[in-house]
Amino acid sequence: MWTYEKKLQYPVKVSKCDPLMAKFLMEQYGGADGELAAALRYLNQRYTIPDKVIGLLTDIGTEEFAHLEMIATMVYKLTKDATPDQMIAAGLGPHYASHDSALFYSNAAGVPWTASYIQAKGDPIADLYEDIAAEEKARATYQWLIDMTDDVDLQDSLKFLREREIIHSLRFREAVEILKEERDRQIYF
């Protein structure tokens, strides 16, 4: 079903060790509006979505896993040379004590990822509006992350991810219109 190329969807470069920025990026790794939640949400919702738009949820859901891989790479690169004291100073002491430098699905505050982040109503239009909201929240978060770093290499990768969120939102909006058109066509008086 997939072809996996052993490369990131977009190159990830960082200019310096920055555990504090890594902590902030964890929001997109294991947060409510992060890449893991998005991927699982879309791939789960596809089972109750009409055939006309099922491919869209599959495509975007699998792309979100590529984004998750990019975020993991950013966090790894930002912390790989950090000392325990730097991790503690960045507020990552509890993470370091439990996981060393291994990634763990949690948000920027250290709260572990939970399945309660996943929404699936079973109504295709309601689910797509949920997906639009998720993409817009992720877009906003990426903009704030861009604003929080002076690392131009990191900003470049974050800008790529922000732009993909915009595209996903637009595609979900198109799907809503397709389904509304279909729904309205089925009404007979």
Side-chain angles (χ1 to χ4, degrees):
M1 184 173 179
W2 290 282
T3 301
Y4 177 70
E5 294 181 40
K6 293 185 179 188
K7 66 178 187 171
L8 296 174
Q9 184 182 14
Y10 189 84
V12 169
K13 297 176 186 164
V14 300
S15 299
K16 60 185 175 185
C17 176
D18 189 348
L20 183 59
M21 191 62 200
K23 177 182 178 177
F24 299 146
L25 283 167
M26 291 300 292
E27 192 63 35
Q28 288 304 94
Y29 191 67
D33 302 313
E35 303 296 351
L36 177 64
L40 295 176
R41 177 185 301 116
Y42 307 151
L43 294 174
N44 184 60
Q45 289 174 350
R46 66 185 291 280
Y47 290 98
T48 55
I49 205 89
D51 288 344
K52 284 190 172 201
V53 295
I54 195 170
L56 177 65
L57 279 117
T58 304
D59 291 348
I60 294 176
T62 54
E63 184 178 346
E64 299 293 359
F65 281 124
H67 297 173
L68 186 68
E69 185 178 30
M70 288 177 65
I71 294 294
T73 301
M74 290 175 202
V75 171
Y76 170 75
K77 287 183 174 189
L78 289 166
T79 60
K80 73 179 175 91
D81 296 325
T83 65
D85 286 341
Q86 288 175 307
M87 297 290 277
I88 292 166
L92 289 171
H95 177 91
Y96 183 79
S98 294
H99 309 288
D100 189 37
S101 60
L103 276 83
F104 182 77
Y105 292 110
S106 61
N107 68 12
V111 177
W113 185 89
T114 173
S116 65
Y117 294 160
I118 304 300
Q119 298 298 321
K121 190 68 175 171
D123 177 274
I125 293 175
D127 283 345
L128 286 168
Y129 276 123
E130 173 71 28
D131 300 344
I132 292 165
E135 293 294 329
E136 292 298 334
K137 289 186 276 185
R139 176 203 46 81
T141 301
Y142 278 122
Q143 184 58 56
W144 298 325
L145 290 166
I146 291 164
D147 295 343
M148 291 169 36
T149 184
D150 60 356
D151 184 333
V152 294
D153 289 328
L154 183 59
Q155 286 176 339
D156 180 58
S157 298
L158 293 171
K159 287 176 182 178
F160 170 82
L161 291 170
R162 180 195 59 200
E163 295 307 308
R164 294 306 301 158
E165 303 299 344
I166 293 167
I167 297 301
H168 294 170
S169 178
L170 291 171
R171 297 290 315 278
F172 285 138
R173 291 170 197 271
E174 292 167 4
V176 165
E177 294 309 313
I178 290 167
L179 295 183
K180 280 182 176 179
E181 207 174 278
E182 182 73 20
R183 177 193 64 194
D184 294 344
R185 215 178 313 169
Q186 293 176 1
I187 298 175
Y188 301 103
F189 296 98

